[in-house]
Each structure stands twice: as C-alpha cells, then as structure tokens.
Amino acid sequence: MTVTGTRNAPDVVDVVALGESMVTFLPARPGRLADVPAFHRSIGGAESNVACALAAAGHTTRWVSRVGADGFGDHLVEAIGAYGVDVSYVRRDPSRPTGVYFRTAGDRADDTHEVAYYRAGSAASAMSPTEVDLEAARAGRVLHLSGITAALSPDCLDLMRELTAPRPGRPLVSFDVNHRPGLWGEGQDPDVLLELARGADIVFVGEDEARQAWGLHGARAVREALPEPEIVVVKQGKGGAVAFAKDTDGPCEDADGTATFVRALHVDVVAAVGAGDAFAAGFLSSTLRGLPVRDRLRHGHLAAAATLTTPGDLAPPPPRTLADRLAALDDPAWGRLRLGPGWTDADAEAAEEARTP
C-alpha cells in the first residue's frame, strides 16, 4: 500500500472531508440504463463534492479516503486535486478496486431514476480506524462526514464511530445523514445513522429521509430525536430548510428562539443531483465565516441553486460578493428571486433584477 504525497504532520485546513468517491458514468442521453448507448466519465462522492465546492469558494480543504491503485483511482485523485483540494492523505490499495457507478439522467427522487453501483469490496470500503490517517482527518476546523460511509462495511462504521466520539480538541464535526436505502443490506440497521448524528455538532438531514430511515414526521420531531448537536438543519425540499440552533442570532420562527426557517429559491432546474452537497458546502462556508444562522441557510440555498442550474454534480459556487449581496436581501426580495442557468456569471445588479413578476 502506498500513500499519495508525503506523510509529514498534516497542516490544519478549514475543512476535512472523509468518505468514498467513485468514478461516475453519466448517460449521453435520457433513458433507461438498458437503452443508453454511451456514458460520459465524471466523479462522484458526497464528501469530496463538499470539499471541492468549498475549495472553489476559497477555503482550504482536504479529502481523506482510499482508492484503488488503478486508472480510476488516478483519475479521482487528479480530478479532485485539480479543484485545489489536498489529496496527499488518500491511500492507494493495490488489491481492491476504485468504486464506479452508472446513473440515469433524471432526478434521484423520480421513480424512473436508476443507479447501478459497483462498489462492493472497493478500496474505500476497507477504511477503518487503522486504514486512514486519523491525524490528517482531525486536522481541520471542520470535519465533514456522511452516513454513506457507515453503510459501506463494519470497518467503515467503526471509523465513523471513532470520528464522532467525544474527545478533547475534536474539530467541529459536520454530518450529512445521506440515507441511501440501497446501501443498507440485510442485517444492517439505518438507526445507526441516528447514533452517529447525535455525536456530531452540525447535522444535515432531509425531512423525507428522516421519515424513511427513522419513522420521524416533521422537522420538530427530528430535532427532538437529535437534542445533542449544536445545529440541526432539516431540509424540506422545494419548501426550504429549517435550522434548529442552541444559540441562534437569526430571526426565529418559534417562541423558544431555536428554529430559523428560510424558504428555498425559485430555480429553473437543469439537474437535481448534487444539490444537497452544495447546500452543505454553502452552509459550512458561511459557518466558517461566522455568519448568522439565517444567512448560513441562505448561502446553502444559493450554493444549491448553482448546482441545480448546471448539468453536473459539481458547479462553481457564486462569487462571494454576489452571494453575500443576495443573502442580504429583505424577505420579500428573497421570495421574488428566480435563478436560471448562467446566473452565477451575472453581476450582482442583474441577478437582483432576475425576479419573478
């Protein structure tokens, strides 16, 4: 086994993201996987998507993982590194392959959406407390994790438990539940995601996935099941997102001052894949900047809009000056804002005028 780059003491970065990334094959045209004649190669991985988006936004980031000592592993390391992400602590496995998957062009929530994973026995599934550099994983202001990793193998679950356990000097732990039913095989219990989330400081979870994984109905029920994290962000699809914070300085929806709701933007959607990762990146970026909870949610929605209006999983985030200006709009102006393809290239004045009648 070899390690890409050096093994010196890791530099402290803004965000470390740990998890599996795979080579993704995107269809050349819409249709069933059985009917698509050709695919385009790309990269996919919830955690590395967040690292890439944050690097593009000007933050220092690191991706910690394992890939095969194969061409697909080379491609992942090179492609993610090209975003400015530190990939020097990605381990290469000579006996296990890099995972790959194929998907159709539609929205993941659509009944016709298909995904074919070829990740069983992958290099990343062998991640464990002894098979990743824990010092490098913890050398960040924020450590971003996802529930996907917990489903890959018992060793990966052990690693997740190690990283979410309380310990002195632990970085701020961000956890995106990312419940993927197809990854949880017989004998595996997605309730473990609730356990891991309770060990995190910031949690992202969709209202729909909380219902599917844990039988919880409504954002308030999610917060009641997760009392420990400092912030729990419950995403409500096209409706918006609500953040429950122990100490919020933003406008609150509840009398007890713990919930901040921000409606989603009107977006002309090109492709829905990757929006959740972009939302997390936007929220974490503004968290690192110390912005109020309302503005963190707005920056999450703006980052998601950048991905929703482009065809791939990853999209350049809006320029910070533009995002800050839009996030500062009053509530009526925010509600009128409509964003379509190319909006991140527009100047701030033009973007503000791109509103519904």
Side-chain angles (χ1 to χ4, degrees):
M1 181 181 298
T2 60
V3 180
T4 303
T6 65
R7 294 300 302 273
N8 296 328
D11 294 332
V12 176
V13 296
D14 290 334
V15 178
V16 176
L18 179 146
E20 180 172 35
S21 294
M22 295 178 290
V23 172
T24 309
F25 289 94
L26 307 177
R29 63 173 175 81
R32 300 184 311 152
L33 287 179
D35 301 328
V36 174
F39 295 82
H40 303 293
R41 185 184 66 176
S42 184
I43 61 174
E47 302 84 1
S48 60
N49 282 350
V50 172
C52 290
L54 284 165
H59 296 281
T60 55
T61 64
R62 173 180 299 126
W63 173 49
V64 176
S65 190
R66 300 177 83 254
V67 298
D70 50 31
F72 287 151
D74 292 343
H75 175 62
L76 282 175
V77 171
E78 292 167 6
I80 294 170
Y83 279 87
V85 178
D86 173 16
V87 294
S88 62
Y89 292 90
V90 177
R91 295 189 175 182
R92 309 299 297 268
D93 191 322
S95 59
R96 296 179 178 87
T98 303
V100 301
Y101 75 96
F102 298 76
R103 69 169 174 83
T104 51
D107 185 350
R108 184 182 282 118
D110 192 294
D111 290 340
T112 63
H113 184 69
E114 297 175 72
V115 180
Y117 289 109
Y118 298 91
R119 73 196 311 175
S122 69
S125 70
M127 288 190 294
S128 72
T130 60
E131 288 297 332
V132 300
D133 191 318
L134 294 179
E135 185 181 5
R138 291 174 172 137
R141 295 170 62 192
V142 176
L143 170 60
H144 182 69
L145 306 169
S146 148
I148 294 171
T149 306
L152 298 181
S153 69
D155 283 342
C156 284
L157 177 55
D158 288 344
L159 173 62
M160 294 291 287
R161 285 176 165 147
E162 169 70 23
L163 292 173
T164 55
R167 57 180 290 132
R170 190 185 83 166
L172 192 76
V173 174
S174 164
F175 181 72
D176 192 336
V177 171
N178 259 325
H179 177 236
R180 298 287 186 267
L183 290 179
W184 293 91
E186 187 176 351
Q188 291 181 299
D189 187 356
D191 278 352
V192 75
L193 296 176
L194 193 63
E195 168 202 333
L196 296 172
R198 294 181 69 177
D201 300 296
I202 300 174
V203 174
F204 300 96
V205 60
E207 198 169 69
D208 56 345
E209 62 184 344
R211 181 172 57 253
Q212 185 177 37
W214 306 325
L216 299 175
H217 296 270
R220 175 60 63 182
V222 175
R223 180 48 159 171
E224 290 174 353
L226 294 170
E228 295 87 355
E230 288 295 318
I231 298 179
V232 175
V233 178
V234 182
K235 296 175 289 183
Q236 299 173 317
K238 294 179 180 179
V242 58
F244 296 92
K246 290 185 176 180
D247 181 20
T248 180
D249 53 359
C252 299
E253 295 292 319
D254 289 355
D256 62 1
T258 61
T260 303
F261 173 78
V262 171
R263 69 178 61 202
L265 292 161
H266 301 287
V267 178
D268 297 327
V269 177
V270 174
V273 178
D277 302 330
F279 181 96
F283 190 94
L284 292 176
S285 175
S286 49
T287 298
L288 288 164
R289 297 169 59 200
L291 299 184
V293 172
R294 187 208 69 167
D295 291 1
R296 300 182 200 184
L297 289 168
R298 285 191 170 192
H299 278 277
H301 286 312
L302 288 164
T307 294
L308 289 168
T309 52
T310 56
D313 289 21
L314 280 166
R320 182 172 291 184
T321 53
L322 172 59
D324 283 346
R325 187 165 180 174
L326 296 180
L329 292 172
D330 60 28
D331 288 342
W334 176 265
R336 293 193 300 268
L337 195 64
R338 187 181 191 103
L339 302 174
W343 73 270
T344 57
D345 297 325
D347 60 39
E349 193 67 32
E352 281 195 36
E353 293 174 357
R355 302 174 187 170
T356 53

